[in-house]
Amino acid sequence: MVTRSIHRATAGTIGALAAISFQVGCAPTSPSPFAVQSKPAASRLLFRDRAADVGLTFQAGIQGKSPLNISELMGGAAAWLDYDGDGWEDLVLGGPTGLCCYRNLRGERFLEVTDSVGLPRTLKGVQGLTVGDVDGDGHPDLLVGLLSGARLFRLRAGGRFVDATTSAGIRLGRWVSASAFADVDGDGDLDLYAGRYLQFSAAMPQFHREGDAQLTLGPAAYEADRGDLLLNDGAGRFHVGTGAAGLSEAHGKTLGVIFGDSDGDGDADLYLANDEVACDFFVNDGKGHFRNDALRNGTALSSAGTPQAGMGVDWGDYDGDGAEDLVVTTFWSEPTSLYRRLSEGLYEERSLVDGLAGPTTRWTGFGIAFEDLDNDGQMDLMQANGHVEDQRDRVDPTVGYRQPTQVFSNQAGKFSEFPAAVPAERVVGRALATADYDRDGRMDAVVASLSGPPVLLHNESTGVGRWLGVRVKGRGRNGEGIGSRVTVISGSRKWVREVRRNRSYYSSTPIELRFGVDATETVNVHVKFASGRVREMDGLETNRSHEVVEE
């Protein structure tokens, strides 16, 4: 996100530079194992913004003020969670202006209920929204990252949140950005990694002048801050375990946090997307001790071998080989990084080879999500974009402050952008959180915007295939089964996903996994729970959701 002289280049020049500079080191070292057909001609991706129609009006960003400093430009959060237990995903939004909660009225309308559910709407400087059942009572709790720390709100029976920050031992100061829950030490409860961004105060320099524009100083102007690992004692009370876990050497300036079992050994590894410093890939030894493997495995740097502006992050098996790959959004003039997992825990950056480099280099990416948007069995991509200089239009209107949301169709492991699939209106996009909010079998998404109300991208794609929903119910304190691995099998085809809520940028998504299975009418499901137990279920009907309970 740092301001550089390359910003003066035209969009055409940037595209040409991308085609040259990002070819180095990107040639495929092994063929893609993808063995499925391309999307059928009948499939047509299409999304419409229904935010105004259904009552989503919350303004996350500061309006009527310019220029905005870095602390006023990084918020914009979204979290889906069913707080009232009625089976419909409700929505919490946050940003520099505060916090807002909407109840989902059976996919037809959203009712603003912030005060009645016990959330403080006047909580300023909201950063990431992180969901997880920290006390194992069956109700999803909410951690709110702030410029001044974090607040934990526990959800009680009856659908009301209670501030449990102090009683839970949450003592996080300074700028808490993105966070994620996972059982890092294998004791059956959810621990927390709380990322931090940088050391900033209003007394520090905030802007530099370019022509008649005052542009926001980027992260290079400030010292890094580093996150903390908070270990759960089993009753929902936390204590700091950063140093003992080997996580104190993180580079900081973290904007994306995601847990996942990257090597299939049954424990939670941790990836940190960092802004203009090397990213971190911490591999868990199974006992909650980590080593940073990012430089060795190829995910620390861009394809050009330099630090990148890591923003949002997601894991997903886009090439169909049964292993989750990694995607990281970046600043404009840098392509979104696509790391395909190879053997021995190594990754190969393939943004140019697999179609993401050209379309993403022009924009500043934030939220990102792997989802099968037309249920054809291939993981597509959605990306929210928006600049970090609110006066950028005065310098380069071709890039601009408001930017388009992007949809990429996966065609046999190669991505093609479909600009006509999303509304033409540009926004200052930040969080992007996916959910089938109206339960019609097609994945929708909400984009938190700093330039106006949120964008609710309702999936109206035609010619879509069949789908399967899987909701894992674990035993003990990890009742949502965070970290469980679900494999769906039909004939020679299989789809693999891991249960996680916290992904993208400043976002949390529903606990139910969705699989597009094309024309398959019944499938077999294999679940390896986070505890290591295994359950298999055969002949499950598609076009419906199933709960798999740990026995």
Side-chain angles (χ1 to χ4, degrees):
M1 204 187 67
V2 63
T3 302
R4 293 174 288 189
S5 60
I6 196 171
H7 290 182
R8 297 189 181 93
T10 64
T13 303
I14 291 295
L17 287 172
I20 298 170
S21 62
F22 294 104
Q23 199 150 9
V24 179
C26 284
T29 59
S30 60
S32 171
F34 219 113
V36 301
Q37 298 298 314
S38 298
K39 295 188 183 301
S43 176
R44 178 172 175 261
L45 292 173
L46 180 64
F47 294 83
R48 299 190 190 279
D49 181 8
R50 296 202 61 218
D53 300 335
V54 300
L56 297 180
T57 60
F58 174 70
Q59 299 266 347
I62 298 170
Q63 309 300 319
K65 176 186 176 183
S66 183
L68 299 173
N69 66 42
I70 193 170
S71 73
E72 297 166 326
L73 285 163
M74 304 308 291
W80 294 102
L81 75 167
D82 181 9
Y83 80 87
D84 54 3
D86 66 353
W88 297 84
E89 296 294 335
D90 308 302
L91 180 62
V92 180
L93 297 168
T97 62
L99 197 64
C100 188
C101 181
Y102 288 94
R103 183 185 179 193
N104 183 349
L105 302 179
R106 303 184 67 84
E108 298 177 357
R109 293 281 300 174
F110 284 85
L111 177 67
E112 198 268 302
V113 293
T114 313
D115 295 330
S116 63
V117 301
L119 291 176
R121 67 172 62 246
T122 58
L123 198 60
K124 305 298 183 185
V126 172
Q127 301 296 293
L129 296 175
T130 309
V131 177
D133 182 5
V134 302
D135 49 8
D137 66 353
H139 304 294
D141 308 304
L142 178 68
L143 183 88
V144 181
L146 300 166
L147 294 174
S148 56
R151 299 266 293 275
L152 176 66
F153 296 92
R154 280 185 172 147
L155 181 61
R156 300 307 188 194
R160 186 172 177 83
F161 292 93
V162 175
D163 190 336
T165 310
T166 301
S167 62
I170 303 291
R171 298 183 180 88
L172 292 169
R174 308 187 304 280
W175 186 336
V176 174
S177 52
S179 300
F181 289 108
D183 180 8
V184 304
D185 51 7
D187 64 355
D189 53 40
L190 294 185
D191 309 300
L192 170 71
Y193 186 86
R196 289 194 180 88
Y197 188 36
L198 44 77
Q199 301 177 39
F200 174 84
S201 75
M204 296 178 177
Q206 300 175 36
F207 310 101
H208 70 102
R209 183 168 292 279
E210 188 170 334
D212 66 346
Q214 290 193 74
L215 300 182
T216 309
L217 285 176
Y222 307 100
E223 293 294 321
D225 206 349
R226 293 168 178 81
D228 272 313
L229 175 68
L230 275 64
L231 297 173
N232 193 334
D233 68 359
R237 185 172 178 83
F238 295 87
H239 65 275
V240 175
T242 314
L247 296 174
S248 58
E249 300 305 313
H251 286 86
K253 296 189 179 180
T254 298
L255 291 174
V257 177
I258 193 166
F259 281 105
D261 183 6
S262 65
D263 48 10
D265 64 355
D267 53 41
D269 305 310
L270 173 64
Y271 187 83
L272 305 179
N274 303 322
D275 196 359
E276 295 295 356
V277 295
C279 296
D280 299 303
F281 195 124
F282 288 102
V283 177
N284 194 337
D285 69 354
K287 300 178 182 178
H289 302 99
F290 294 84
R291 74 174 190 279
N292 195 347
D293 201 37
L295 280 173
R296 185 197 74 86
N297 72 19
T299 61
L301 306 170
S302 71
S303 60
T306 58
Q308 61 192 4
M311 311 281 199
V313 60
D314 200 12
W315 255 314
D317 180 15
Y318 83 92
D319 58 357
D321 66 351
E324 289 194 309
D325 310 295
L326 183 70
V327 66
V328 181
T329 56
T330 59
F331 193 49
W332 87 281
S333 79
E334 302 169 343
T336 291
S337 288
L338 181 66
Y339 299 101
R340 177 184 159 204
R341 190 182 188 280
L342 307 175
S343 60
E344 304 300 325
L346 300 178
Y347 291 79
E348 176 184 43
E349 206 294 315
R350 293 179 61 92
S351 59
L352 180 62
V353 176
D354 289 342
L356 287 186
T360 59
T361 300
R362 185 177 176 182
W363 312 117
T364 298
F366 279 88
I368 186 82
F370 280 116
E371 291 289 355
D372 188 346
L373 301 175
D374 54 3
N375 298 336
D376 72 339
Q378 303 178 75
M379 299 290 280
D380 308 302
L381 274 172
M382 301 186 75
Q383 178 170 315
N385 300 308
H387 214 289
V388 290
E389 297 163 338
D390 62 298
Q391 294 188 10
R392 169 51 53 180
D393 303 69
R394 302 184 187 181
V395 178
D396 188 354
T398 63
V399 173
Y401 181 42
R402 300 173 182 237
Q403 298 185 352
T405 302
Q406 293 177 290
V407 167
F408 297 92
S409 171
N410 183 347
Q411 302 182 12
K414 306 292 183 180
F415 290 102
S416 298
E417 185 182 6
F418 276 61
V422 288
E425 181 181 359
R426 297 185 177 190
V427 299
V428 183
R430 293 296 185 259
L432 184 148
T434 54
D436 181 6
Y437 79 88
D438 58 353
R439 291 167 49 176
D440 68 351
R442 295 171 291 187
M443 292 301 293
D444 314 300
V446 65
V447 176
S449 169
L450 295 185
S451 56
V455 178
L456 183 65
L457 294 173
H458 181 244
N459 191 339
E460 299 180 5
S461 303
T462 57
V464 299
R466 301 178 71 85
W467 59 275
L468 181 85
V470 178
R471 186 182 182 94
V472 172
K473 185 173 179 59
R475 294 175 60 183
R477 296 184 296 268
N478 185 8
E480 292 188 332
I482 299 295
S484 301
R485 178 159 295 199
V486 178
T487 303
V488 174
I489 303 167
S490 175
S492 62
R493 297 187 67 184
K494 70 176 182 179
W495 301 268
V496 179
R497 298 194 71 175
E498 185 172 319
V499 179
R500 60 174 66 91
R501 277 191 178 272
N502 317 135
R503 47 197 281 240
S504 185
Y505 173 85
Y506 283 16
S507 303
S508 291
T509 52
I511 201 64
E512 180 181 308
L513 296 179
R514 279 296 181 87
F515 298 83
V517 293
D518 200 4
T520 303
E521 295 187 2
T522 62
V523 296
N524 301 330
V525 173
H526 177 282
V527 178
K528 183 179 180 182
F529 292 90
S531 64
R533 295 184 182 92
V534 173
R535 186 172 182 194
E536 297 182 1
M537 302 179 70
D538 296 337
L540 296 185
E541 294 181 14
T542 56
N543 278 359
R544 58 171 295 186
S545 296
H546 300 266
E547 185 175 74
V548 182
V549 180
E550 184 175 7
E551 296 178 335

